[in-house]
Amino acid sequence: MSASATPDLRQDHSEILALLTAYVFGLDRRDFTRVASVFTEDADVQNVFAAYLPEGEKFSGVTTGGSAVAEGARRLFGGLDATQHLLGAQSVELTDTGAHAFTQIVAHHHRGSGYYHTGGTYEDDLVRTPDGWRISRRTLRIHWTTGSPDVVLAP
């Protein structure tokens, strides 16, 4: 294999981390076009709450497609005063067909003096498209929460 045909693993890694960061900045800035752009249009996104969390039934489910993910985020976060999604430790593994990424997440959701904070992990499968790396499958695993889910669920 020639040097020009060798994949630039550092570049791929950097582009994937930038994509994951673009998603959370999109959420916090209410830039839902940006949110949609990080996913493929047939991406499956699943929210899974730890079994001990009673509010999991209200938030769990599967959404298909970047546009649908963005619209769901708009409905959930549109009435909030502020959110901040913090990314923690990240791992990216390139494969023959794309990449897998694991990212720790802590998300703060605020409405007035009320809050709902969550902690968990994004588990992503990514594919390279003509427009760059995109998430083709995401599982958000919520491990803990504090505050009231009604902060997010209230109309």
Side-chain angles (χ1 to χ4, degrees), residues 57-142:
E57 291 178 12
K58 299 174 185 175
F59 293 105
S60 294
V62 177
T63 304
T64 301
S67 296
V69 170
E71 184 54 34
R74 180 189 317 274
R75 284 192 311 270
L76 274 178
F77 300 149
L80 297 177
D81 295 323
T83 60
Q84 186 174 37
H85 292 75
L86 304 171
L87 302 180
Q90 295 180 293
S91 171
V92 175
E93 173 189 333
L94 296 172
T95 68
D96 291 339
T97 59
H100 300 294
F102 299 89
T103 305
Q104 293 176 333
I105 175 81
V106 174
H108 300 267
H109 310 89
H110 290 264
R111 182 188 311 249
S113 62
Y115 66 90
Y116 183 59
H117 299 169
T118 61
T121 307
Y122 292 140
E123 300 173 5
D124 297 321
D125 291 332
L126 299 103
V127 294
R128 189 190 319 264
T129 73
D131 296 320
W133 287 98
R134 297 294 182 263
I135 299 168
S136 60
R137 185 169 191 275
R138 167 172 278 179
T139 302
L140 168 56
R141 296 190 186 280
I142 299 296

Side-chain angles (χ1 to χ4, degrees), residues 6 11-12 18 23 26 32 38 40 42-43 47 49 60 62 71 91 101 115 125 128 132 144 146 150:
T6 304
Q11 181 68 29
D12 287 333
Y23 172 76
F32 298 110
V38 307
T40 62
D42 61 350
N47 294 333
F49 277 60
S60 294
V62 177
E71 184 54 34
S91 171
Y115 66 90
D125 291 332
R128 189 190 319 264
W144 60 265
T146 186
D150 290 337

